[in-house]
Amino acid sequence: DGSAAEVFSSADAETVGIHFRWMRDYGIDGAFLQRFANGFSNKPLMANKDRVLQNVRESALRFGRNYAVMYDLSGVRAGEVKRVFDDWQKLRATVTEDPNYLHLDSRPLVAVWGVGFADDRAYSLEECADLISQLKASGCAIMLGVPTYWRTGERDAVAAPELHDLLKQADVISPWSVGRYRTEEQAKQHAERTWRADQTWCHASKLDFLPVVFPGFSWRNLKGPEARSIPRNRGEFLKTQISAAKQVGCEMLYVAMFDEVD
């Protein structure tokens, strides 16, 4: 009717507390806190990022959930990836002392999302490799968020031979699959044709494999009833992905996305 529509804000500690309580109540082990790297030079944005981080730290402890920092490189310009390590250096002494900060083999886990995508990103694979080297040298375990077809170097992934060498420097590989299939049957096919081979590659390279599942998607609220959508089917779409992942031997899942508002 033209009046303002309100949504929640993760800058509100009560909101984040509710989200972590839901995680506890429904058996979700923890959350990756996305810390977008394209706003590190903006003081108001940084203040908000830090406020959300503090809310997550407090709520994870209160409700017995794990958390880890995920640096999202989306929107980062050439030459700016190095800012991620500078930020981590500021955070590390504080967050890694939290009993609920996620560790892998006694090393604090840091996620870097946006490596190897073929969508004309301004930063380079070389910059990503330098960041991974710095994080490893500082004693971190590393999870990389990569495109769906990272292994074959097609469609959403760069066809660069150095990508596989870069990925082998990590500890966990997590391919983004949101929107890559639209029905329950397509989800089953994706697990069999893509995730199974992905997992085999990761195991051979001594890496953990963390596939992404999602509950469905719609543009209808924004674009009207004719907009394309991926039906949730009362949870069946999400359930099918989870079952398919288990069927091909996956041992853990990343669910996209817990509280994102676009």
Side-chain angles (χ1 to χ4, degrees):
D1 62 0
S3 60
E6 296 184 359
V7 297
F8 67 85
S9 170
S10 294
D12 181 355
E14 184 177 1
T15 294
V16 178
I18 290 171
H19 288 166
F20 273 82
R21 174 166 59 80
W22 285 343
M23 288 187 228
R24 180 200 64 189
D25 292 349
Y26 294 98
I28 299 172
D29 297 286
F32 284 94
L33 170 61
Q34 285 191 296
R35 194 167 168 90
F36 283 82
N38 64 345
F40 284 170
S41 60
N42 184 305
K43 289 185 178 180
L45 275 179
M46 282 301 295
N48 186 69
K49 294 177 195 291
D50 291 341
R51 186 182 304 116
V52 175
L53 171 61
Q54 185 60 30
N55 293 342
V56 167
R57 295 179 65 202
E58 293 172 356
S59 294
L61 182 62
R62 179 181 176 189
F63 293 104
R65 303 295 94 187
N66 292 322
Y67 82 96
V69 172
M70 171 183 280
Y71 287 102
D72 194 320
L73 302 181
S74 300
V76 169
R77 293 179 291 188
E80 292 183 349
V81 172
K82 59 187 178 183
R83 294 181 179 179
V84 168
F85 186 71
D86 295 338
D87 185 72
W88 174 247
Q89 289 289 80
K90 290 187 292 185
L91 297 185
R92 176 172 180 150
T94 303
V95 300
T96 58
E97 291 301 314
D98 290 346
N100 296 72
Y101 194 86
L102 189 61
H103 284 64
L104 178 64
D105 298 329
S106 301
R107 294 171 292 157
L109 183 70
V110 178
V112 179
W113 196 96
V115 178
F117 282 81
D119 54 3
D120 297 321
R121 294 179 178 234
Y123 55 88
S124 65
L125 285 178
E126 184 179 3
E127 290 181 73
C128 295
D130 289 342
L131 173 60
I132 293 168
S133 295
Q134 287 181 303
L135 290 170
K136 286 190 67 175
S138 70
C140 296
I142 301 167
M143 170 186 144
L144 295 181
V146 300
T148 298
Y149 299 102
W150 60 274
R151 180 174 43 80
T152 56
E154 56 188 356
R155 297 168 70 171
D156 62 349
V158 295
E162 62 267 30
L163 177 60
H164 283 185
D165 291 335
L166 186 157
L167 298 185
K168 289 178 181 178
Q169 301 306 308
D171 299 277
V172 185
I173 300 298
S174 183
W176 186 249
S177 56
V178 174
R180 303 306 192 265
Y181 40 82
R182 307 177 61 81
T183 67
E184 285 86 344
E185 187 58 36
Q186 290 173 0
K188 294 176 185 177
Q189 293 172 358
H190 184 82
E192 188 61 44
R193 296 173 182 175
T194 304
W195 284 347
R196 186 182 291 278
D198 284 353
Q199 182 166 245
T200 298
W201 190 98
C202 286
H203 284 178
S205 301
K206 296 182 172 56
L207 302 173
D208 287 333
F209 180 60
L210 179 63
V212 173
V213 299
F214 68 106
F217 184 80
S218 176
W219 281 118
R220 288 178 181 173
N221 284 343
L222 184 64
K223 299 184 178 182
E226 301 304 315
R228 296 182 69 190
S229 65
I230 302 174
R232 295 173 181 253
N233 289 340
R234 300 169 303 281
E236 284 301 315
F237 182 67
L238 178 61
K239 181 181 177 181
T240 296
Q241 294 170 80
I242 296 169
S243 298
K246 293 186 69 175
Q247 187 68 31
V248 299
C250 299
E251 298 174 328
M252 53 187 178
L253 290 170
Y254 179 109
V255 183
M257 301 292 284
F258 194 83
D259 71 342
E260 187 168 41
V261 176
D262 288 344

